[in-house]
Amino acid sequence: MEEDHSSNFLLYVAVAIVGVATIYLVRRFFKGKQFTENVKAKDKVIIVTGASAGIGKQIARELNIRGGKVYLMCRDVDRANAAIRDLAAKYGCDTTRLIVIQGDLANFASVRKFVDEFNRRESKLDILVNNAGIGHYSNFEKTVDGHEVIFQTNYLGHFLLTHLLLPKLEKSDSPRIVGLSSILHLNADNVDQKTVEDEKKFSWMLGTYSRSKLANVMHAAVLTKKLRADDPTTKITFNTCHPGAVSTEIARNTFLSWPVISSLAKPFIWFFMKTDYDGAQTPLFLALSKKVDGASGKYFAECAESKVHPLVHDQAACDTLYNYSMVACGLNK
């Protein structure tokens, strides 16, 4: 009888060990590839948009810990300063190298004001991380500049910011632009002006979001070609990436933010989705890794080059988007 109890106990222990090991391995799989290179960011001047929370906050954290001077471009200055205090308290970040400048990508005048202030403070820019974004809007709305909110926040605002900062990037020895896109860019139908600005074609789910993320990838491809055509010796690189399925505030305007749904979903979110820090790994890889020295116009996922939408290879489509964006942002004058 005692032998039966002992056998059962050992069986339970074995099952428990296998179960815990399985959960650990599966959870580790969903965490995704981690950036483990020992690369410093000492003396580098960096801008991270949308750095008051989520992936952007974790990117700022890691770049600061590695020695970089990080500017946080955020709409809400108070919230950004609270994020800095949190980073200092939890991770020992150096607050003298975390600086907030207010900037709203949904307002071109605000973007220009941000750049003016940054230019007043710094003589160069080493790394620009275009991270900020919104994933869902229940209704079609236009910004003060007359463009659909998601498309301007995720794409046009970053387009303007990037082009205004090119002179500062050119002053760096190893300038890099990193754009956060999404695997959902593969689902986009197109990025034609008539589509992205048409209320009837607005998608309250993820269609409009997917278009903005496709535009990000196309921007990196076309700007790379234009920069190298203008100056074959340019050191500026521009790559985009999919950070993974991350549980961030980008879903704050969806049903997933409802209290009941949020509570029920927590165990599944913990198990199947990445943390903010996990989501920051591929952007950090593109910002710092020596493995991507010279690489530009590419799209990455899990720290490796990945498949892109066919329109990214369509030069005519890329040029059309680029020309539309130049006019929309007032850069053609």
Side-chain angles (χ1 to χ4, degrees):
M1 196 72 172
E2 288 184 5
E3 289 183 2
D4 289 341
H5 284 304
S6 297
S7 297
N8 289 337
F9 175 74
L10 291 174
L11 177 61
Y12 294 149
V13 171
V15 169
I17 291 173
V18 171
V20 170
T22 300
I23 291 173
Y24 170 78
L25 291 173
V26 174
R27 181 71 190 94
R28 187 171 180 179
F29 170 78
F30 283 114
K31 281 174 68 67
K33 183 75 173 178
Q34 302 291 299
F35 176 59
T36 57
E37 292 177 48
N38 184 24
V39 183
K40 300 299 182 184
K42 188 174 180 353
D43 298 326
K44 289 189 179 295
V45 178
I46 304 154
I47 292 174
V48 182
T49 68
S52 62
I55 296 172
K57 181 179 176 182
Q58 297 305 318
I59 293 172
R61 159 194 166 185
E62 191 64 26
L63 291 174
N64 177 269
I65 288 173
R66 290 173 183 251
K69 182 180 183 181
V70 185
Y71 282 86
L72 289 70
M73 178 182 179
C74 303
R75 288 180 301 170
D76 189 330
V77 172
D78 290 338
R79 194 175 183 211
N81 283 323
I84 289 176
R85 291 193 295 271
D86 183 63
L87 290 174
K90 289 183 178 178
Y91 309 108
C93 288
D94 183 349
T95 58
T96 65
R97 290 186 284 104
L98 288 170
I99 304 110
V100 178
I101 300 180
Q102 198 277 336
D104 183 358
L105 292 161
N107 185 317
F108 290 153
S110 179
V111 174
R112 291 179 180 277
K113 185 177 180 182
F114 169 88
V115 173
D116 287 342
E117 179 61 22
F118 175 81
N119 287 342
R120 187 182 68 79
R121 299 186 186 207
E122 299 292 344
S123 60
K124 66 161 186 171
L125 174 62
D126 297 291
I127 302 170
L128 170 62
V129 183
N130 292 331
N131 162 78
I134 51 178
H136 171 84
Y137 236 70
S138 56
N139 299 303
F140 179 89
E141 290 186 22
K142 288 191 174 184
T143 66
V144 293
D145 302 297
H147 305 289
E148 192 279 319
V149 172
I150 295 176
F151 199 73
Q152 178 166 335
T153 302
N154 294 0
Y155 169 64
L156 287 174
H158 280 126
F159 183 97
L160 176 61
L161 178 69
T162 299
H163 284 257
L164 292 177
L165 288 169
L166 287 177
K168 291 295 183 182
L169 285 160
E170 289 170 351
K171 300 287 181 63
S172 171
D173 292 331
S174 56
R176 295 188 182 188
I177 307 168
V178 179
L180 271 74
S181 179
S182 168
I183 194 172
L184 291 175
H185 88 274
L186 295 170
N187 297 333
D189 46 6
N190 64 71
V191 289
D192 293 341
Q193 180 180 356
K194 291 181 179 179
T195 299
V196 300
E197 302 287 5
D198 188 347
E199 182 173 359
K200 294 180 180 178
K201 295 181 180 178
F202 173 77
S203 171
W204 68 273
M205 284 296 286
L206 291 170
T208 300
Y209 173 81
S210 298
R211 291 171 192 148
S212 70
K213 293 304 178 180
L214 171 57
N216 292 146
V217 182
M218 293 171 71
H219 182 207
V222 69
L223 184 57
T224 292
K225 289 182 179 179
K226 289 184 179 297
L227 288 175
R228 292 182 175 180
D230 292 341
D231 179 8
T233 65
T234 184
K235 295 180 180 179
I236 298 176
T237 63
F238 186 1
N239 295 294
T240 55
C241 67
H242 170 54
V246 184
S247 175
T248 68
E249 292 186 359
I250 199 167
R252 60 185 173 272
N253 294 318
T254 72
F255 69 92
L256 292 174
S257 64
W258 298 351
V260 174
I261 300 296
S262 178
S263 297
L264 291 173
K266 277 184 180 179
F268 300 96
I269 289 174
W270 173 84
F271 191 78
F272 291 108
M273 299 185 77
K274 292 184 177 184
T275 64
D276 299 344
Y277 186 73
D278 295 331
Q281 299 307 300
T282 299
L284 287 167
F285 169 77
L286 293 178
L288 296 174
S289 178
K290 298 183 184 303
K291 295 178 181 178
V292 289
D293 280 347
S296 190
K298 309 294 185 181
Y299 167 76
F300 291 75
E302 301 300 342
C303 300
E305 191 173 345
S306 191
K307 175 184 176 182
V308 295
H309 193 290
L311 283 177
V312 178
H313 298 301
D314 186 330
Q315 191 58 48
C318 286
D319 286 338
T320 298
L321 174 66
Y322 182 87
N323 293 334
Y324 154 66
S325 304
M326 290 290 286
V327 173
C329 294
L331 292 169
N332 62 319
K333 300 174 183 177

